[in-house]
mmCIF file of all heavy atoms in Angstrom:
data_model
loop_
_atom_site.group_PDB
_atom_site.id
_atom_site.type_symbol
_atom_site.label_atom_id
_atom_site.label_comp_id
_atom_site.label_asym_id
_atom_site.label_seq_id
_atom_site.Cartn_x
_atom_site.Cartn_y
_atom_site.Cartn_z
ATOM 1 N N ILE A 51 -9.360 19.540 -5.079
ATOM 2 C CA ILE A 51 -8.553 20.649 -5.602
ATOM 3 C C ILE A 51 -9.465 21.816 -5.972
ATOM 4 O O ILE A 51 -10.357 21.681 -6.802
ATOM 5 C CB ILE A 51 -7.724 20.213 -6.833
ATOM 6 C CG1 ILE A 51 -6.703 19.155 -6.442
ATOM 7 C CG2 ILE A 51 -7.047 21.408 -7.496
ATOM 8 C CD1 ILE A 51 -5.584 19.637 -5.555
ATOM 9 N N GLY A 52 -9.234 22.955 -5.349
ATOM 10 C CA GLY A 52 -10.026 24.148 -5.640
ATOM 11 C C GLY A 52 -9.413 25.023 -6.706
ATOM 12 O O GLY A 52 -10.112 25.770 -7.387
ATOM 13 N N PHE A 53 -8.088 24.955 -6.853
ATOM 14 C CA PHE A 53 -7.379 25.772 -7.838
ATOM 15 C C PHE A 53 -6.203 24.974 -8.369
ATOM 16 O O PHE A 53 -5.531 24.275 -7.625
ATOM 17 C CB PHE A 53 -6.856 27.068 -7.198
ATOM 18 C CG PHE A 53 -5.910 27.825 -8.086
ATOM 19 C CD1 PHE A 53 -6.397 28.658 -9.072
ATOM 20 C CD2 PHE A 53 -4.540 27.681 -7.943
ATOM 21 C CE1 PHE A 53 -5.521 29.352 -9.906
ATOM 22 C CE2 PHE A 53 -3.655 28.370 -8.766
ATOM 23 C CZ PHE A 53 -4.143 29.204 -9.747
ATOM 24 N N MET A 54 -5.957 25.097 -9.675
ATOM 25 C CA MET A 54 -4.816 24.435 -10.287
ATOM 26 C C MET A 54 -4.245 25.341 -11.362
ATOM 27 O O MET A 54 -4.984 25.873 -12.188
ATOM 28 C CB MET A 54 -5.231 23.097 -10.905
ATOM 29 C CG MET A 54 -4.066 22.333 -11.518
ATOM 30 S SD MET A 54 -4.574 20.820 -12.354
ATOM 31 C CE MET A 54 -4.975 21.476 -13.974
ATOM 32 N N ASP A 55 -2.921 25.497 -11.360
ATOM 33 C CA ASP A 55 -2.266 26.211 -12.455
ATOM 34 C C ASP A 55 -1.497 25.198 -13.299
ATOM 35 O O ASP A 55 -1.718 23.989 -13.188
ATOM 36 C CB ASP A 55 -1.383 27.359 -11.929
ATOM 37 C CG ASP A 55 -0.171 26.903 -11.134
ATOM 38 O OD1 ASP A 55 0.138 25.683 -11.125
ATOM 39 O OD2 ASP A 55 0.476 27.766 -10.520
ATOM 40 N N ILE A 59 -0.682 20.402 -14.554
ATOM 41 C CA ILE A 59 -0.454 19.691 -15.817
ATOM 42 C C ILE A 59 0.904 19.002 -15.769
ATOM 43 O O ILE A 59 1.046 17.844 -16.165
ATOM 44 C CB ILE A 59 -0.533 20.666 -17.016
ATOM 45 C CG1 ILE A 59 -1.930 21.299 -17.095
ATOM 46 C CG2 ILE A 59 -0.155 19.970 -18.318
ATOM 47 C CD1 ILE A 59 -3.071 20.328 -17.266
ATOM 48 N N GLY A 80 -12.661 13.316 -10.591
ATOM 49 C CA GLY A 80 -13.026 14.373 -9.661
ATOM 50 C C GLY A 80 -12.630 15.775 -10.074
ATOM 51 O O GLY A 80 -12.593 16.665 -9.236
ATOM 52 N N THR A 81 -12.372 15.995 -11.348
ATOM 53 C CA THR A 81 -11.966 17.333 -11.779
ATOM 54 C C THR A 81 -13.168 18.255 -11.891
ATOM 55 O O THR A 81 -14.242 17.858 -12.346
ATOM 56 C CB THR A 81 -11.235 17.292 -13.134
ATOM 57 O OG1 THR A 81 -12.062 16.646 -14.095
ATOM 58 C CG2 THR A 81 -9.907 16.574 -13.034
ATOM 59 N N SER A 82 -12.976 19.495 -11.479
ATOM 60 C CA SER A 82 -14.016 20.509 -11.635
ATOM 61 C C SER A 82 -14.126 20.868 -13.117
ATOM 62 O O SER A 82 -13.230 20.536 -13.906
ATOM 63 C CB SER A 82 -13.641 21.767 -10.848
ATOM 64 O OG SER A 82 -12.514 22.394 -11.453
ATOM 65 N N PRO A 83 -15.187 21.553 -13.526
ATOM 66 C CA PRO A 83 -15.289 21.959 -14.933
ATOM 67 C C PRO A 83 -14.093 22.795 -15.399
ATOM 68 O O PRO A 83 -13.614 22.613 -16.522
ATOM 69 C CB PRO A 83 -16.588 22.773 -14.977
ATOM 70 C CG PRO A 83 -17.413 22.211 -13.863
ATOM 71 C CD PRO A 83 -16.428 21.875 -12.774
ATOM 72 N N GLN A 84 -13.594 23.671 -14.537
ATOM 73 C CA GLN A 84 -12.456 24.508 -14.927
ATOM 74 C C GLN A 84 -11.191 23.679 -15.105
ATOM 75 O O GLN A 84 -10.443 23.864 -16.074
ATOM 76 C CB GLN A 84 -12.204 25.613 -13.874
ATOM 77 C CG GLN A 84 -13.315 26.612 -13.748
ATOM 78 C CD GLN A 84 -14.456 26.147 -12.828
ATOM 79 O OE1 GLN A 84 -14.418 25.084 -12.221
ATOM 80 N NE2 GLN A 84 -15.492 26.959 -12.742
ATOM 81 N N ILE A 85 -10.930 22.755 -14.177
ATOM 82 C CA ILE A 85 -9.740 21.907 -14.278
ATOM 83 C C ILE A 85 -9.869 20.956 -15.462
ATOM 84 O O ILE A 85 -8.902 20.708 -16.177
ATOM 85 C CB ILE A 85 -9.491 21.161 -12.953
ATOM 86 C CG1 ILE A 85 -9.069 22.177 -11.878
ATOM 87 C CG2 ILE A 85 -8.441 20.076 -13.119
ATOM 88 C CD1 ILE A 85 -8.930 21.601 -10.482
ATOM 89 N N THR A 86 -11.071 20.452 -15.706
ATOM 90 C CA THR A 86 -11.305 19.598 -16.867
ATOM 91 C C THR A 86 -10.956 20.352 -18.150
ATOM 92 O O THR A 86 -10.283 19.811 -19.043
ATOM 93 C CB THR A 86 -12.767 19.129 -16.922
ATOM 94 O OG1 THR A 86 -13.035 18.358 -15.756
ATOM 95 C CG2 THR A 86 -13.049 18.308 -18.164
ATOM 96 N N LYS A 87 -11.388 21.599 -18.241
ATOM 97 C CA LYS A 87 -11.103 22.404 -19.428
ATOM 98 C C LYS A 87 -9.603 22.578 -19.629
ATOM 99 O O LYS A 87 -9.093 22.399 -20.739
ATOM 100 C CB LYS A 87 -11.783 23.768 -19.301
ATOM 101 C CG LYS A 87 -11.604 24.653 -20.513
ATOM 102 C CD LYS A 87 -12.356 25.960 -20.352
ATOM 103 C CE LYS A 87 -12.148 26.845 -21.563
ATOM 104 N NZ LYS A 87 -12.884 28.105 -21.446
ATOM 105 N N VAL A 88 -8.886 22.890 -18.565
ATOM 106 C CA VAL A 88 -7.436 23.067 -18.655
ATOM 107 C C VAL A 88 -6.768 21.762 -19.094
ATOM 108 O O VAL A 88 -5.887 21.762 -19.959
ATOM 109 C CB VAL A 88 -6.858 23.553 -17.299
ATOM 110 C CG1 VAL A 88 -5.346 23.499 -17.292
ATOM 111 C CG2 VAL A 88 -7.349 24.954 -16.989
ATOM 112 N N MET A 89 -7.200 20.649 -18.527
ATOM 113 C CA MET A 89 -6.608 19.356 -18.884
ATOM 114 C C MET A 89 -6.901 18.989 -20.333
ATOM 115 O O MET A 89 -6.033 18.464 -21.032
ATOM 116 C CB MET A 89 -7.081 18.270 -17.932
ATOM 117 C CG MET A 89 -6.454 18.388 -16.572
ATOM 118 S SD MET A 89 -6.692 16.874 -15.643
ATOM 119 C CE MET A 89 -5.902 17.313 -14.116
ATOM 120 N N LYS A 90 -8.115 19.265 -20.778
ATOM 121 C CA LYS A 90 -8.449 18.966 -22.172
ATOM 122 C C LYS A 90 -7.630 19.839 -23.120
ATOM 123 O O LYS A 90 -7.153 19.364 -24.146
ATOM 124 C CB LYS A 90 -9.944 19.143 -22.415
ATOM 125 C CG LYS A 90 -10.778 18.039 -21.763
ATOM 126 C CD LYS A 90 -12.233 18.196 -22.076
ATOM 127 C CE LYS A 90 -12.468 17.663 -23.466
ATOM 128 N NZ LYS A 90 -13.885 17.605 -23.821
ATOM 129 N N LEU A 91 -7.456 21.119 -22.780
ATOM 130 C CA LEU A 91 -6.640 22.004 -23.616
ATOM 131 C C LEU A 91 -5.199 21.524 -23.689
ATOM 132 O O LEU A 91 -4.534 21.680 -24.715
ATOM 133 C CB LEU A 91 -6.690 23.443 -23.089
ATOM 134 C CG LEU A 91 -7.997 24.182 -23.316
ATOM 135 C CD1 LEU A 91 -8.009 25.503 -22.551
ATOM 136 C CD2 LEU A 91 -8.226 24.426 -24.806
ATOM 137 N N ALA A 92 -4.717 20.925 -22.610
ATOM 138 C CA ALA A 92 -3.341 20.405 -22.568
ATOM 139 C C ALA A 92 -3.224 19.023 -23.206
ATOM 140 O O ALA A 92 -2.125 18.511 -23.357
ATOM 141 C CB ALA A 92 -2.860 20.350 -21.123
ATOM 142 N N MET A 100 -10.147 9.825 -18.192
ATOM 143 C CA MET A 100 -10.676 10.911 -17.365
ATOM 144 C C MET A 100 -12.171 10.736 -17.198
ATOM 145 O O MET A 100 -12.860 10.401 -18.146
ATOM 146 C CB MET A 100 -10.403 12.275 -18.019
ATOM 147 C CG MET A 100 -8.953 12.670 -18.068
ATOM 148 S SD MET A 100 -8.701 14.315 -18.805
ATOM 149 C CE MET A 100 -9.526 15.363 -17.610
ATOM 150 N N ILE A 102 -15.336 12.778 -16.830
ATOM 151 C CA ILE A 102 -15.783 14.150 -17.059
ATOM 152 C C ILE A 102 -17.301 14.159 -17.032
ATOM 153 O O ILE A 102 -17.934 13.547 -17.880
ATOM 154 C CB ILE A 102 -15.271 14.694 -18.408
ATOM 155 C CG1 ILE A 102 -13.747 14.655 -18.442
ATOM 156 C CG2 ILE A 102 -15.796 16.091 -18.664
ATOM 157 C CD1 ILE A 102 -13.159 15.003 -19.781
#
Side-chain angles (χ1 to χ4, degrees):
I51 296 292
F53 169 82
M54 182 184 86
D55 67 10
I59 299 300
T81 55
S82 68
Q84 295 84 3
I85 291 174
T86 298
K87 183 177 179 179
V88 170
M89 287 195 181
K90 288 183 79 173
L91 287 171
M100 292 182 65
I102 301 173

